[in-house]
Amino acid sequence: ELLRAGYQVAGPAADETEALALASDQAPDVAVVDIDLHGGHEGLELARTLRCQYGVATVFVSGEAAAARANMDAAFGYLPK
């Protein structure tokens, strides 16, 4: 849907390392990040790194609304799973 709407998609990233490589290579405006990347809260750290190092806004995806809302300082928005 995003491609048909005219947006460019940098691609999926399986982990923080891939996400940072995409951010470095593609310079996206926004990233959609699972707050519980690989079962921990690595998505929070990724969001902070994306914002601080690359100026990329983050929208969290999470099944836990409370956790996402509690960490909105690291993200632009939140989407429930």
Side-chain angles (χ1 to χ4, degrees), residues 35 61-72 78-81:
I35 199 169
V61 176
S62 177
E64 298 180 34
R69 285 190 205 109
N71 292 290
M72 287 306 293
Y78 155 72
L79 297 170
K81 284 186 184 178

PDB file of all heavy atoms in Angstrom, residues 35 61-72 78-81:
ATOM      1  N   ILE A  35       8.346  -2.429  19.353  1.00  0.00           N
ATOM      2  CA  ILE A  35       8.936  -2.031  20.629  1.00  0.00           C
ATOM      3  C   ILE A  35       9.665  -3.189  21.297  1.00  0.00           C
ATOM      4  O   ILE A  35      10.652  -2.997  21.999  1.00  0.00           O
ATOM      5  CB  ILE A  35       7.859  -1.429  21.556  1.00  0.00           C
ATOM      6  CG1 ILE A  35       8.507  -0.596  22.653  1.00  0.00           C
ATOM      7  CG2 ILE A  35       6.961  -2.496  22.129  1.00  0.00           C
ATOM      8  CD1 ILE A  35       7.525   0.237  23.431  1.00  0.00           C
ATOM      9  N   VAL A  61       5.270  -0.110  17.009  1.00  0.00           N
ATOM     10  CA  VAL A  61       4.213  -1.104  16.880  1.00  0.00           C
ATOM     11  C   VAL A  61       4.354  -1.991  18.109  1.00  0.00           C
ATOM     12  O   VAL A  61       5.450  -2.456  18.417  1.00  0.00           O
ATOM     13  CB  VAL A  61       4.390  -1.956  15.602  1.00  0.00           C
ATOM     14  CG1 VAL A  61       3.341  -3.041  15.532  1.00  0.00           C
ATOM     15  CG2 VAL A  61       4.350  -1.078  14.373  1.00  0.00           C
ATOM     16  N   SER A  62       3.254  -2.180  18.833  1.00  0.00           N
ATOM     17  CA  SER A  62       3.346  -2.973  20.059  1.00  0.00           C
ATOM     18  C   SER A  62       2.010  -3.587  20.398  1.00  0.00           C
ATOM     19  O   SER A  62       0.961  -2.989  20.149  1.00  0.00           O
ATOM     20  CB  SER A  62       3.810  -2.100  21.223  1.00  0.00           C
ATOM     21  OG  SER A  62       3.838  -2.856  22.416  1.00  0.00           O
ATOM     22  N   GLY A  63       2.062  -4.774  20.970  1.00  0.00           N
ATOM     23  CA  GLY A  63       0.863  -5.410  21.481  1.00  0.00           C
ATOM     24  C   GLY A  63       0.554  -4.943  22.890  1.00  0.00           C
ATOM     25  O   GLY A  63      -0.505  -5.211  23.426  1.00  0.00           O
ATOM     26  N   GLU A  64       1.495  -4.234  23.497  1.00  0.00           N
ATOM     27  CA  GLU A  64       1.324  -3.744  24.856  1.00  0.00           C
ATOM     28  C   GLU A  64       1.196  -2.227  24.830  1.00  0.00           C
ATOM     29  O   GLU A  64       2.182  -1.506  24.774  1.00  0.00           O
ATOM     30  CB  GLU A  64       2.514  -4.144  25.716  1.00  0.00           C
ATOM     31  CG  GLU A  64       2.688  -5.647  25.835  1.00  0.00           C
ATOM     32  CD  GLU A  64       3.875  -6.011  26.698  1.00  0.00           C
ATOM     33  OE1 GLU A  64       4.148  -5.276  27.657  1.00  0.00           O
ATOM     34  OE2 GLU A  64       4.502  -7.022  26.392  1.00  0.00           O
ATOM     35  N   ALA A  65      -0.029  -1.751  24.873  1.00  0.00           N
ATOM     36  CA  ALA A  65      -0.290  -0.315  24.782  1.00  0.00           C
ATOM     37  C   ALA A  65       0.402   0.462  25.893  1.00  0.00           C
ATOM     38  O   ALA A  65       0.957   1.529  25.657  1.00  0.00           O
ATOM     39  CB  ALA A  65      -1.790  -0.056  24.803  1.00  0.00           C
ATOM     40  N   ALA A  66       0.378  -0.066  27.097  1.00  0.00           N
ATOM     41  CA  ALA A  66       0.982   0.654  28.221  1.00  0.00           C
ATOM     42  C   ALA A  66       2.477   0.847  28.026  1.00  0.00           C
ATOM     43  O   ALA A  66       3.007   1.924  28.298  1.00  0.00           O
ATOM     44  CB  ALA A  66       0.711  -0.087  29.521  1.00  0.00           C
ATOM     45  N   ALA A  67       3.154  -0.180  27.546  1.00  0.00           N
ATOM     46  CA  ALA A  67       4.596  -0.082  27.326  1.00  0.00           C
ATOM     47  C   ALA A  67       4.907   0.944  26.246  1.00  0.00           C
ATOM     48  O   ALA A  67       5.838   1.738  26.380  1.00  0.00           O
ATOM     49  CB  ALA A  67       5.166  -1.438  26.943  1.00  0.00           C
ATOM     50  N   ALA A  68       4.134   0.949  25.191  1.00  0.00           N
ATOM     51  CA  ALA A  68       4.368   1.896  24.110  1.00  0.00           C
ATOM     52  C   ALA A  68       4.121   3.325  24.572  1.00  0.00           C
ATOM     53  O   ALA A  68       4.911   4.229  24.302  1.00  0.00           O
ATOM     54  CB  ALA A  68       3.484   1.558  22.918  1.00  0.00           C
ATOM     55  N   ARG A  69       3.022   3.530  25.279  1.00  0.00           N
ATOM     56  CA  ARG A  69       2.709   4.883  25.754  1.00  0.00           C
ATOM     57  C   ARG A  69       3.741   5.380  26.766  1.00  0.00           C
ATOM     58  O   ARG A  69       4.065   6.560  26.800  1.00  0.00           O
ATOM     59  CB  ARG A  69       1.316   4.910  26.372  1.00  0.00           C
ATOM     60  CG  ARG A  69       0.232   4.865  25.341  1.00  0.00           C
ATOM     61  CD  ARG A  69      -1.135   5.154  25.976  1.00  0.00           C
ATOM     62  NE  ARG A  69      -2.157   4.545  25.151  1.00  0.00           N
ATOM     63  CZ  ARG A  69      -2.864   3.484  25.487  1.00  0.00           C
ATOM     64  NH1 ARG A  69      -2.710   2.915  26.660  1.00  0.00           N
ATOM     65  NH2 ARG A  69      -3.762   2.989  24.667  1.00  0.00           N
ATOM     66  N   ALA A  70       4.246   4.491  27.567  1.00  0.00           N
ATOM     67  CA  ALA A  70       5.229   4.867  28.579  1.00  0.00           C
ATOM     68  C   ALA A  70       6.549   5.291  27.955  1.00  0.00           C
ATOM     69  O   ALA A  70       7.343   5.971  28.589  1.00  0.00           O
ATOM     70  CB  ALA A  70       5.468   3.706  29.540  1.00  0.00           C
ATOM     71  N   ASN A  71       6.776   4.905  26.714  1.00  0.00           N
ATOM     72  CA  ASN A  71       8.050   5.199  26.060  1.00  0.00           C
ATOM     73  C   ASN A  71       7.894   6.140  24.867  1.00  0.00           C
ATOM     74  O   ASN A  71       8.681   6.100  23.941  1.00  0.00           O
ATOM     75  CB  ASN A  71       8.704   3.886  25.626  1.00  0.00           C
ATOM     76  CG  ASN A  71       9.132   3.076  26.823  1.00  0.00           C
ATOM     77  OD1 ASN A  71      10.062   3.451  27.512  1.00  0.00           O
ATOM     78  ND2 ASN A  71       8.424   2.000  27.094  1.00  0.00           N
ATOM     79  N   MET A  72       6.909   6.986  24.909  1.00  0.00           N
ATOM     80  CA  MET A  72       6.660   7.886  23.791  1.00  0.00           C
ATOM     81  C   MET A  72       7.749   8.943  23.633  1.00  0.00           C
ATOM     82  O   MET A  72       7.818   9.589  22.602  1.00  0.00           O
ATOM     83  CB  MET A  72       5.293   8.555  23.939  1.00  0.00           C
ATOM     84  CG  MET A  72       4.138   7.585  23.660  1.00  0.00           C
ATOM     85  SD  MET A  72       4.242   6.745  22.066  1.00  0.00           S
ATOM     86  CE  MET A  72       4.004   8.121  20.960  1.00  0.00           C
ATOM     87  N   TYR A  78       2.412   5.611  17.904  1.00  0.00           N
ATOM     88  CA  TYR A  78       2.226   4.223  18.334  1.00  0.00           C
ATOM     89  C   TYR A  78       1.081   3.603  17.545  1.00  0.00           C
ATOM     90  O   TYR A  78       0.035   4.222  17.376  1.00  0.00           O
ATOM     91  CB  TYR A  78       1.927   4.191  19.828  1.00  0.00           C
ATOM     92  CG  TYR A  78       1.169   2.985  20.298  1.00  0.00           C
ATOM     93  CD1 TYR A  78       1.789   1.738  20.364  1.00  0.00           C
ATOM     94  CD2 TYR A  78      -0.160   3.069  20.663  1.00  0.00           C
ATOM     95  CE1 TYR A  78       1.096   0.623  20.791  1.00  0.00           C
ATOM     96  CE2 TYR A  78      -0.861   1.956  21.100  1.00  0.00           C
ATOM     97  CZ  TYR A  78      -0.238   0.736  21.153  1.00  0.00           C
ATOM     98  OH  TYR A  78      -0.920  -0.364  21.550  1.00  0.00           O
ATOM     99  N   LEU A  79       1.293   2.381  17.067  1.00  0.00           N
ATOM    100  CA  LEU A  79       0.264   1.598  16.386  1.00  0.00           C
ATOM    101  C   LEU A  79       0.079   0.286  17.143  1.00  0.00           C
ATOM    102  O   LEU A  79       1.061  -0.409  17.395  1.00  0.00           O
ATOM    103  CB  LEU A  79       0.667   1.264  14.944  1.00  0.00           C
ATOM    104  CG  LEU A  79       0.862   2.428  13.996  1.00  0.00           C
ATOM    105  CD1 LEU A  79       1.499   1.946  12.700  1.00  0.00           C
ATOM    106  CD2 LEU A  79      -0.465   3.100  13.727  1.00  0.00           C
ATOM    107  N   PRO A  80      -1.154  -0.064  17.513  1.00  0.00           N
ATOM    108  CA  PRO A  80      -1.357  -1.348  18.183  1.00  0.00           C
ATOM    109  C   PRO A  80      -1.243  -2.489  17.194  1.00  0.00           C
ATOM    110  O   PRO A  80      -1.561  -2.334  16.017  1.00  0.00           O
ATOM    111  CB  PRO A  80      -2.759  -1.239  18.762  1.00  0.00           C
ATOM    112  CG  PRO A  80      -3.440  -0.240  17.868  1.00  0.00           C
ATOM    113  CD  PRO A  80      -2.372   0.702  17.392  1.00  0.00           C
ATOM    114  N   LYS A  81      -0.790  -3.660  17.674  1.00  0.00           N
ATOM    115  CA  LYS A  81      -0.733  -4.853  16.819  1.00  0.00           C
ATOM    116  C   LYS A  81      -2.101  -5.432  16.678  1.00  0.00           C
ATOM    117  O   LYS A  81      -2.927  -5.362  17.525  1.00  0.00           O
ATOM    118  CB  LYS A  81       0.196  -5.911  17.432  1.00  0.00           C
ATOM    119  CG  LYS A  81       1.646  -5.588  17.270  1.00  0.00           C
ATOM    120  CD  LYS A  81       2.464  -6.763  17.774  1.00  0.00           C
ATOM    121  CE  LYS A  81       3.929  -6.449  17.717  1.00  0.00           C
ATOM    122  NZ  LYS A  81       4.745  -7.511  18.231  1.00  0.00           N
TER     123      LYS A  81
END
